[in-house]
Each structure stands twice: as C-alpha cells, then as structure tokens.
Amino acid sequence: MKPKTLIIIFCIVGLLGGFFAKVWLDTPSDQELIRETLREATRNGKEGKPGGVHDYLSGSFKVGDYEPSGADISEFIKSQRPEVTVLEPNPVIRGEVAEIVSPVEIKFGVGNIGASNRVEGVRIVLHKESALKYGVFPTPRWKIVEVTAPTGNPFGQ
C-alpha cells in the first residue's frame, strides 16, 4: 500500500478509537444522571410530550398506591401539562436505588389557567437500569419508580 493510504487509514482508526473511548469512558456520575432524569421528565411534562415522560418512568411506576396505565399518564400529560419543580433534587443513592425527599411545586393546566400547589416531603424513588447510548454502547439510566407524598397524594389534594 501507498504511504498516503496507510496514513489515512491510521487517522480514521485513531478517530474512531477516540470516539469509542469517549463514549465508553465518559459516563456522568449517578447524581448527574438522576438530575438529568428529573430535568428531562419535568421539561417534557411541561411541554405536553407524554412520550418523553414515559422514557423516564419505570414500567412499574406508581403514584402513592395507584399504578396508572401508560394511557392514563399520556392523557394527563396532554391535558394538564404539569409543571413540576423538585426544589431539592439531592438523591440518597443505595446501590441501584435512589431516593429523593424534597418539597415540590406543581402547576396544572395550560397557560395562566390552572392550579399551583407546593407539596412538602414528596418522596421520589428511582431505579438504575441499563440503556443503550447511540443504540450500541451500554450505559446506566435512572428511571422514576414511585412518587409519594406524606398525605398519600403527590398532588396535594
């Protein structure tokens, strides 16, 4: 082979190797992954995108003692566009499970029409699951498993 061809091949292999190393080794901390989960789920809820919220909910998601179906969750997000703000998103991580106990501000309804509540002591439980980054690389992902409030109703009603 010509030296030019070898140089081009080595450059391509080097670039691909660098890309794979960055994707494989550049994993954020669990704290940051959990904050990203909360940030993205609440942003998608506010925008009325149920598919985006479902990505961050576990298949066994519960609200208090109630296990809503995927259709129930989708309808609620489309109609209410909940604006949820977790005021103290500091998780306590125990292996594959994380728990956040924080005050939460919740606003329901679209635009200026709706109700706003502050609920103290909301408990959010997350579980670490496997996912694929770029459809190829295994990466950890946190999903919301359960949301409860001291009153038993996270919506403060």
Side-chain angles (χ1 to χ4, degrees):
M1 276 199 229
K2 294 183 179 180
K4 263 189 190 178
T5 307
L6 286 174
I7 291 172
I8 291 172
I9 290 172
F10 282 128
C11 286
I12 290 172
V13 168
L15 287 172
L16 288 174
F19 172 74
F20 287 127
K22 179 174 179 9
V23 169
W24 191 267
L25 300 173
D26 190 27
T27 303
S29 70
D30 285 337
Q31 298 268 349
E32 184 55 37
L33 288 172
I34 290 169
R35 285 190 183 97
E36 179 185 338
T37 295
L38 293 174
R39 189 172 40 250
E40 289 299 312
T42 56
R43 182 181 60 82
N44 285 319
K46 180 180 176 181
E47 293 174 359
K49 298 178 181 176
V53 174
H54 282 290
D55 289 343
Y56 297 98
L57 299 179
S58 174
S60 59
F61 175 69
K62 291 185 347 180
V63 178
D65 293 330
Y66 174 60
E67 289 189 43
S69 68
D72 291 340
I73 294 169
S74 294
E75 181 59 35
F76 178 77
I77 291 168
K78 285 180 194 174
S79 65
Q80 295 296 314
R81 295 183 177 226
E83 187 174 328
V84 179
T85 305
V86 180
L87 299 175
E88 298 171 13
N90 303 315
V92 175
I93 301 170
R94 293 180 196 95
E96 304 290 308
V97 177
E99 181 178 318
I100 298 170
V101 178
S102 169
V104 174
E105 288 184 359
I106 304 171
K107 181 181 179 212
F108 300 109
V110 180
N112 293 331
I113 302 171
S116 181
N117 291 318
R118 179 182 170 117
V119 183
E120 297 293 329
V122 173
R123 181 175 168 258
I124 304 167
V125 178
L126 298 101
H127 190 266
K128 191 180 209 178
E129 298 181 1
S130 295
L132 293 177
K133 191 174 194 178
Y134 306 117
V136 178
F137 303 102
T139 185
R141 185 172 197 178
W142 289 88
K143 292 201 173 191
I144 302 168
V145 176
E146 183 179 1
V147 177
T148 54
T151 61
N153 184 343
F155 306 119
Q157 299 172 346

